[in-house]
Amino acid sequence: GGAPPPRHIILVRHGQSEGNVNRTAYQSTPDSQIALTEVGWAQGVVAGLQIRELVKNESIRCFYSPYLRARQTLLALLQAFDSQTVQLSSEPRLREQDFGNFQDDAQMSRVLAERQVFGRFYYRFPDGEAGTDVFDRMASFITYLFRTMTERDYFDDGRAAHEPAAPPPQNYVLVTHGLLMRIFCMCYLRWTVTEFEQVWNPSNCEIWVLEKVPRTGRYRLAGRWRQPHGQHHGGHFLDVRYGKSRHAYVPSHMKQPSDARIIVPGPNCLNAEALRGLSDPMDIGTALGIPFSV
């Protein structure tokens, strides 16, 4: 019983922002108030058309970061759903990683260089967040997101008993930021830190799609939804950019969630694709007395 869960969870990065073209904008404008450029608005409109081509006339519910550039991207993409009822939910947990308050450009250059050495996921920005903090709030959001799929009336909205509830949306759209898209996938698909750090940030208004696995309550990463330039109908999925070359094969275990990865200790057991990135071989290999060969 109950309503079927959404067919897709669609992740969209905001369009090109003033901060993307001029990093000094952060010195005088709060990150939450950085606006889209004209190019960014146009990218948002195109993203809406691409999403509409994917979902056709199915309904959507949008969860969006409250940052200005994400709200503007939402308004731009909603043009593709003219005259259609859309459910909207502002979600602060989808905001950008906090990099501190006003950001001095010269200081940020030093900080970003330090992060490369320290590790992108664990590095904490002065007066800001580490990737671990973003992971924690994303885990909380995912729990909430899936709860909305299974409970028709998440809130007591005061409707009279005879008033029907809004029909459940057939697709979820998350309008957010590049790092948040990667950490959403890391958290839901259970990527290791090593795997996460090999996934490249999506470009502005890039669309990632998780599609429901038939007869289950789980979703698999279908990839980047693309329509060839000048094509108005149809589309296809490409892998997210992965590895040093950006074009490496994304291992199949990174595309679907699993409760645990299985290991049978023994010679070369860490060569299994799903285990290869778990740890520095000098750590776990030495601890288990297991020889590691590439």
Side-chain angles (χ1 to χ4, degrees), residues 173-194:
V173 178
L174 278 52
V175 184
T176 184
H177 307 263
L179 176 76
L180 275 291
M181 290 170 61
R182 289 190 292 145
I183 287 192
F184 180 97
C185 291
M186 178 190 188
C187 192
Y188 178 67
L189 299 170
R190 310 307 300 169
W191 293 347
T192 66
V193 174
T194 302

Side-chain angles (χ1 to χ4, degrees), residues 6-290:
R7 291 205 312 119
H8 301 102
I9 300 174
I10 301 166
L11 312 176
V12 189
R13 186 187 173 197
H14 62 79
Q16 183 192 77
S17 73
E18 297 289 354
N20 292 144
V21 297
N22 178 17
R23 250 178 43 183
T24 63
Y26 298 104
Q27 295 185 156
S28 57
T29 305
D31 195 3
S32 62
Q33 296 303 312
I34 296 289
L36 292 183
T37 63
E38 288 187 13
V39 169
W41 278 99
Q43 290 172 331
V45 171
V46 171
L49 293 170
Q50 292 177 333
I51 293 171
R52 184 64 185 264
E53 180 61 27
L54 174 66
V55 304
K56 307 300 183 186
N57 291 323
E58 293 181 348
S59 58
I60 64 171
R61 177 176 178 179
C62 297
F63 299 82
Y64 60 93
S65 160
Y67 277 29
L68 178 59
R69 56 190 179 274
R71 288 186 281 123
Q72 291 176 327
T73 302
L74 171 70
L75 293 175
L77 69 83
L78 285 177
Q79 293 180 34
F81 295 86
D82 188 41
S83 302
Q84 181 172 321
T85 299
V86 176
Q87 299 178 42
L88 302 180
S89 299
S90 176
E91 181 46 71
R93 286 171 291 191
L94 291 178
R95 72 186 185 277
E96 177 61 287
Q97 180 177 3
D98 294 332
F99 296 115
N101 297 316
F102 293 110
Q103 300 164 26
D104 177 80
D105 189 49
Q107 181 182 355
M108 280 301 291
S109 294
R110 292 191 296 271
V111 165
L112 292 172
E114 186 178 65
R115 180 178 68 160
Q116 287 297 107
V117 176
F118 190 88
R120 296 175 62 89
F121 184 67
Y122 296 112
Y123 184 81
R124 180 174 301 282
F125 284 87
D127 301 318
E129 288 183 304
T132 51
D133 300 313
V134 182
F135 183 96
D136 290 346
R137 59 175 155 97
M138 183 58 74
S140 166
F141 170 70
I142 288 175
T143 299
Y144 162 73
L145 187 75
F146 276 78
R147 187 173 173 185
T148 66
M149 297 178 187
T150 58
E151 298 188 14
R152 284 183 70 90
D153 298 318
Y154 184 77
F155 297 110
D156 177 9
D157 57 11
R159 285 195 311 270
H162 66 275
E163 290 186 87
Q170 295 162 297
N171 301 275
Y172 278 2
V173 178
L174 278 52
V175 184
T176 184
H177 307 263
L179 176 76
L180 275 291
M181 290 170 61
R182 289 190 292 145
I183 287 192
F184 180 97
C185 291
M186 178 190 188
C187 192
Y188 178 67
L189 299 170
R190 310 307 300 169
W191 293 347
T192 66
V193 174
T194 302
E195 290 165 346
F196 162 79
E197 292 186 335
Q198 293 184 77
V199 176
W200 289 77
N201 218 39
S203 57
N204 293 117
C205 278
E206 189 166 298
I207 300 166
W208 292 6
V209 179
L210 289 89
E211 57 185 11
K212 187 176 179 300
V213 179
R215 297 178 298 281
T216 75
R218 298 190 174 200
Y219 292 79
R220 66 176 298 277
L221 179 62
R224 295 179 285 149
W225 174 245
R226 298 291 301 275
Q227 282 183 285
H229 183 70
Q231 180 175 314
H232 301 293
H233 300 286
H236 59 276
F237 290 110
L238 299 173
D239 269 349
V240 300
R241 297 181 183 89
Y242 181 73
K244 289 183 179 180
S245 69
R246 304 192 188 203
H247 302 294
Y249 162 77
V250 178
S252 59
H253 70 267
M254 290 180 61
K255 298 180 181 180
Q256 45 203 349
S258 61
D259 297 324
R261 301 188 188 183
I262 305 302
I263 184 171
V264 179
N268 301 321
C269 68
L270 295 181
N271 285 340
E273 187 175 59
L275 299 174
R276 191 169 294 179
L278 285 179
S279 178
D280 185 310
M282 293 303 293
D283 288 339
I284 192 169
T286 301
L288 296 177
I290 299 169

